[in-house]
């Protein structure tokens, strides 16, 4: 193994360890924001919707600012490190919310969750660009399948332990959540430690023409533009019922901390058993083609969830959903990288994330509005229909890419002839 291969192997090892702690943070803090907000702070449906959407509104502006910063950076690693550190400090502030007057606890928590997404969006944007530089195109499916599988195993184990931990306390007791937020901050320090170990490849300075403010020229690249449109619609359909799931599980089905954990564990098991399969199928059939199957599979979850308030049944639905969530995570990110040009990849990722943040802000609010206008069953079923429709758009995108590749092949053959 030469020096270059050793560096790549080490980077992949550090990235997996970094991902483990990122997963721990998510599964001992972020995943329990809705339960903490409902059981301890007593938020309304509208306020719960804001917990899902307001961070995305902040993230939209963060992506705009981040894209400007990223276009001026020669090194992405340290910017990513400092951004993650700032985001994790917010977890300590959340642990102190319950010491505030009751009248401002809910809105303070909502604002902390929202503002935390400012540095986290910087971190996410720069991490995506950094990992695209570090991991070669040939290694992406194998590497991300392995990384995601390890992260999902960690998520499953940690979530189950947290669920058992929460059962030791009364539903409205803030102490376990405070301890979880502090533990998540400690995990953040370890997350940053492994991120700093990455060896960032040296890249030539991009020409000034490619350093325009928001890189709007990237939309002229049709594979990226069409993927963007399909992905935005899919994400809207996907995210519009995220708050609705929490409302249904906790308020309608009466799920406790242990049951919320079991839902997440079941989802994780579904992801674990399917990660490698999605990677193999993507290698065989392409990311764009498999996104059609992902969309159809994801469309079943909201519809099946509201068929019953039986908690073991909802666990089974989450197990099924996990089979398709793993494909969503793997395929969307890899197709994003495949649809961009290397010389404008950072700008493309910036624009993608800015628009994705706008969708992520609007979608949960749209879901809550639907809930207030109709009922939980109609709102969830509308999400199912929209998710299925996104499969039609992804199929059209797959056909477009297929025809484009065929045309390029004919041109090459004509030149040789």
């Amino acid at each position: 193994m030469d020096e270059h291969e050793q560096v790549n192997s080490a980077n992949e090892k550090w990235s997996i360890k970094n991902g483990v702690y990122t997963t721990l943070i998510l599964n001992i803090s972020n995943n329990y924001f809705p339960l903490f907000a409902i059981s301890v702070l007593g938020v309304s449906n509208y306020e719960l919707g804001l917990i899902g959407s307001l961070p995305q509104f902040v993230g939209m502006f963060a992506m705009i600012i981040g894209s400007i910063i990223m276009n001026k950076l020669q090194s992405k690693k340290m910017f990513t490190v400092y951004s993650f550190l700032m985001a994790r400090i917010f977890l300590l502030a959340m642990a102190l919310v319950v010491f505030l007057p009751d009248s401002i606890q809910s809105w303070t928590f909502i604002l902390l969750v929202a503002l935390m997404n400012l540095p986290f969006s910087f971190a996410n944007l720069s991490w995506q660009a950094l990992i695209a530089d570090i991991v070669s195109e040939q290694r992406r499916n194998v590497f991300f399948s392995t990384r995601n599988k390890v992260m999902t195993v960690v998520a499953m184990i940690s979530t189950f332990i947290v669920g058992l931990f929460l059962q030791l306390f009364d539903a409205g007791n803030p102490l376990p959540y405070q301890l979880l937020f502090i533990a998540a901050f400690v995990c953040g320090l370890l997350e940053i430690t492994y991120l700093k170990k990455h060896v960032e490849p040296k890249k030539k300075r991009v020409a000034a023409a490619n350093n325009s403010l928001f890189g709007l020229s990237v939309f002229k690249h049709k594979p990226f533009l069409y993927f963007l449109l399909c992905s935005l619609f899919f994400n809207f359909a996907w995210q519009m019922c995220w708050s609705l799931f929490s409302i249904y599980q906790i308020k309608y089905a009466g799920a406790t901390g242990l049951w919320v954990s079991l839902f997440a564990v079941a989802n994780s098991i579904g992801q674990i058993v399917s990660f490698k399969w999605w990677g193999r199928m993507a290698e065989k059939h392409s990311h764009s083609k498999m996104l059609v199957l992902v969309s159809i599979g994801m469309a079943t979850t909201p519809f099946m969830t509201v068929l019953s308030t039986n908690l073991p049944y909802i666990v089974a639905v989450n197990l099924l959903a996990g089979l398709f969530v793993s494909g969503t995570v793997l395929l969307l990110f890899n197709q994003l990288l495949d649809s961009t040009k290397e010389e404008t990849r950072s700008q493309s990722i910036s624009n993608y994330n800015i628009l994705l943040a706008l969708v992520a802000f609007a979608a949960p609010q749209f879901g809550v509005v639907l809930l207030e206008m109709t009922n939980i069953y109609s709102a969830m079923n509308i999400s199912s229909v929209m998710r299925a429709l996104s499969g039609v758009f992804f199929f059209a995108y797959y056909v477009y890419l297929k025809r484009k590749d065929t045309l390029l092949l004919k041109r090459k053959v004509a030149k040789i002839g």
Side-chain angles (χ1 to χ4, degrees), residues 325-336:
V325 170
S326 60
T328 301
V329 172
L330 177 70
L331 298 173
L332 281 178
F333 183 60
N334 281 352
Q335 185 58 51
L336 168 63

Side-chain angles (χ1 to χ4, degrees), residues 393-411:
F393 296 147
F394 275 124
F395 178 74
Y397 179 64
Y398 163 72
V399 171
Y400 161 75
L401 292 180
K402 195 77 172 175
R403 289 178 177 175
K404 182 173 178 291
D405 290 342
T406 301
L407 183 60
L408 288 174
L409 181 61
K410 287 181 179 179
R411 288 177 178 174

Side-chain angles (χ1 to χ4, degrees), residues 45-46 49 240 243-244 247 364-372:
N45 288 346
Y46 171 70
M240 64 175 280
S243 296
L244 302 184
I247 292 170
Q365 290 299 306
F366 180 71
V368 171
V369 169
L370 273 181
L371 172 62
E372 299 297 330

Side-chain angles (χ1 to χ4, degrees), residues 263-283:
F263 299 153
V265 168
N267 194 280
S268 297
I269 292 173
Q271 293 183 53
I272 291 168
V273 299
S274 59
F275 267 129
K276 283 191 175 180
W277 186 84
W278 287 112
R280 289 197 303 269
M281 291 300 101
E283 290 282 355

Side-chain angles (χ1 to χ4, degrees), residues 9-22 127 131 134-135 143-144 147 151 194-195 197-198:
S9 178
N11 277 335
E12 291 184 10
K13 180 179 70 174
W14 301 135
S15 181
I16 289 173
K17 291 185 176 181
N18 164 257
V20 164
Y21 287 104
T22 301
W127 180 85
I131 209 69
I134 287 176
V135 181
F143 167 70
F144 283 115
R147 186 179 189 270
M151 289 167 63
Y194 287 110
L195 181 59
K197 291 180 180 290
H198 286 65

Side-chain angles (χ1 to χ4, degrees), residues 154-203:
V154 171
M156 180 183 66
I157 295 172
S158 61
T159 301
F160 183 70
I161 293 173
V162 170
L164 293 176
F165 171 70
L166 290 176
Q167 288 297 105
L168 301 175
F169 301 87
D170 295 333
N173 191 339
L175 179 60
Y177 300 98
Q178 291 175 296
L179 295 175
L180 290 176
F181 295 156
I182 293 170
F185 172 74
V186 174
C187 288
L189 298 180
L190 294 169
E191 169 194 42
I192 291 165
T193 298
Y194 287 110
L195 181 59
K196 288 175 68 176
K197 291 180 180 290
H198 286 65
V199 178
E200 184 176 12
K202 294 181 179 179
K203 298 196 75 175

Side-chain angles (χ1 to χ4, degrees), residues 287-309:
H287 300 116
S288 57
K289 185 176 182 180
M290 296 309 296
L291 278 168
V292 179
L293 181 58
V294 160
S295 302
I296 296 171
M298 293 289 281
T300 64
T301 306
F303 165 74
M304 293 184 66
T305 296
V306 295
L307 290 179
S308 173
T309 55

